[in-house]
Amino acid sequence: MPSLASTAPPRTIDRPCPPGSWDVHHHIFDLDGRFPLSPTRHFTPSPATLAQFEAFQHRLGIEHACIAHGLSFGTDPSSLVFYLDYFQGSARAFACVDITSVTDKEIIELRDKGIPGIRIDYHLHKAQHNVEEQIRCLRQYAARAAPFGWTLQTYHPHPEYYESLSPVIRELPVPVVVDHFGGLKTASLLRYQGLEADTFDAASQPGLAALCSLLRDGKLWIKLSAPYRCSEDPTFEDMRPLVRALVDANPDRVLYGSDWPHTQPFHRRPKDLKGSDVETYLPFDDVAWVNKLKTWLSQDEWGKLMISNPRAFTGYDRDN
């Protein structure tokens, strides 16, 4: 049962990520019956196996994984426990659990396995488009997580909500990590959605200042992951102002995530998507994106993003 580093072929110069790199947001969907899908899932993923995941990470040069619980598995973290055992202490994961029924003993066991936090499933709570329900979830989950030192993981496609969420996040007794650039938008995304974009300025959009303030004050982590959730520019060049704004706010609180195997973004999903509908994955050139991202950062910022920040975020240094 190996680590990513131990199973990788000899490192060559065409690997874009430096030794010791982390991928803090991805999924694994082994659909061979060992890990049943939830009846409340909002779509059915296509297979994306552990073997495929390892091959993908080897191409990038990633040596540490932090698995984001696939929401299609509901609140059953058994797949995460299996993968954490497989990676022999070199990986971490964020789990979805039912906070109304999970026991203290079970939380401690999950934490000791390498799970430093809990992922809030806003789909389950019908909170994706409801800021008041998100506030309720944040407070409820934080109260359950705080005694165990857990972090809360969240995502929704409404960056403007952070103007209301910011004071709530500041008062929570736990750290918070936000996925996928906090759902920030670009003009190319607005055009794809048929919205007016001629006067849109990504650097002054609602929510960005609130996110940057939380980052500056060390109240938030944010993942520079899945640019296709924010942009429809095939070069992703319009992501540069957002990357720089977030990194400039606090280079010690930004994290890299691949979002492999690249589930479909909200704006590309059918409005009538059902839980039984099998979803294909978005074609995405991870190597090209990582190489572009690297050019927008200094060498010091790149090392923080890929190595030192995720070690601090996951508690890896504390645990080893």
Side-chain angles (χ1 to χ4, degrees):
M1 293 189 292
S3 66
L4 280 172
S6 69
T7 59
R11 179 173 285 273
T12 59
I13 59 172
D14 62 346
R15 289 188 180 186
C17 299
S21 288
W22 285 72
D23 179 351
V24 303
H25 191 103
H26 59 82
H27 314 288
I28 305 173
F29 296 113
D30 278 309
L31 304 180
D32 53 10
R34 288 175 295 165
F35 313 119
L37 296 174
S38 169
T40 63
R41 66 190 184 276
H42 58 289
F43 73 95
T44 295
S46 299
T49 67
L50 175 59
Q52 292 171 320
F53 167 72
E54 287 187 284
F56 163 74
Q57 298 289 29
H58 290 158
R59 287 196 300 275
L60 289 183
I62 296 292
E63 295 183 359
H64 297 277
C66 185
I67 310 163
H69 188 132
L71 300 183
S72 297
F73 292 119
T75 56
D76 177 5
S78 59
S79 65
L80 299 183
V81 172
F82 173 84
Y83 300 130
L84 290 170
D85 284 343
Y86 177 85
F87 286 121
Q88 295 183 318
S90 68
R92 297 291 182 269
F94 275 66
C96 291
V97 298
D98 183 347
I99 60 170
T100 66
S101 62
V102 67
T103 66
D104 290 0
K105 180 175 181 290
E106 289 169 333
I107 292 177
I108 292 169
E109 289 172 350
L110 291 172
R111 185 187 63 189
D112 291 347
K113 280 287 187 181
I115 294 177
I118 186 171
R119 185 180 188 192
I120 303 177
D121 182 356
Y122 284 145
H123 289 282
L124 183 64
H125 295 285
K126 297 180 172 52
Q128 282 286 0
H129 311 294
N130 185 329
V131 68
E132 293 303 322
E133 186 62 17
Q134 288 184 22
I135 290 171
R136 186 195 67 78
C137 286
L138 284 168
R139 288 175 171 155
Q140 183 181 26
Y141 276 74
R144 190 71 182 100
F148 308 97
W150 265 6
T151 296
L152 300 186
Q153 175 191 348
T154 75
Y155 175 71
H156 56 84
H158 294 284
E160 70 277 9
Y161 284 5
Y162 285 101
E163 296 178 2
S164 298
L165 294 172
S166 178
V168 178
I169 291 171
R170 287 181 180 279
E171 69 183 22
L172 294 178
V174 297
V176 173
V177 60
V178 173
D179 302 337
H180 313 324
F181 291 90
L184 292 165
K185 304 180 187 304
T186 60
S188 65
L189 175 62
L190 297 183
R191 292 190 186 98
Y192 180 90
Q193 295 173 310
L195 302 174
E196 168 59 40
D198 290 344
T199 61
F200 179 76
D201 178 16
S204 62
Q205 66 182 289
L208 178 57
L211 284 167
C212 288
S213 179
L214 288 167
L215 288 169
R216 275 192 298 272
D217 294 342
K219 299 293 185 181
L220 194 76
W221 298 89
I222 196 161
K223 298 176 187 174
L224 308 189
S225 56
Y228 44 81
R229 299 187 187 279
C230 306
S231 169
E232 282 290 335
D233 178 350
T235 72
F236 297 108
E237 195 65 36
D238 58 357
M239 292 298 296
R240 187 181 190 281
L242 299 181
V243 169
R244 283 306 333 164
L246 298 172
V247 174
D248 288 341
N250 193 339
D252 296 319
R253 305 290 284 194
V254 291
L255 304 158
Y256 165 75
S258 67
D259 196 35
W260 186 90
H262 312 303
T263 58
Q264 297 290 332
F266 286 124
H267 64 272
R268 284 176 172 256
R269 278 185 173 146
K271 300 301 182 186
D272 58 351
L273 184 70
K274 300 184 294 296
S276 58
D277 292 340
V278 178
E279 185 173 89
T280 58
Y281 297 121
L282 189 76
F284 181 66
D285 189 339
D286 290 271
V287 172
W289 164 245
V290 168
N291 283 331
K292 181 180 287 288
L293 182 60
K294 185 169 21 177
T295 67
W296 296 338
L297 305 176
S298 69
Q299 185 174 355
D300 181 60
E301 291 167 343
W302 181 241
K304 288 182 175 183
L305 179 75
M306 302 304 298
I307 304 168
S308 58
N309 289 358
R311 290 175 74 98
F313 165 68
T314 60
Y316 189 78
D317 287 331
R318 181 189 64 240
D319 299 338
N320 289 273

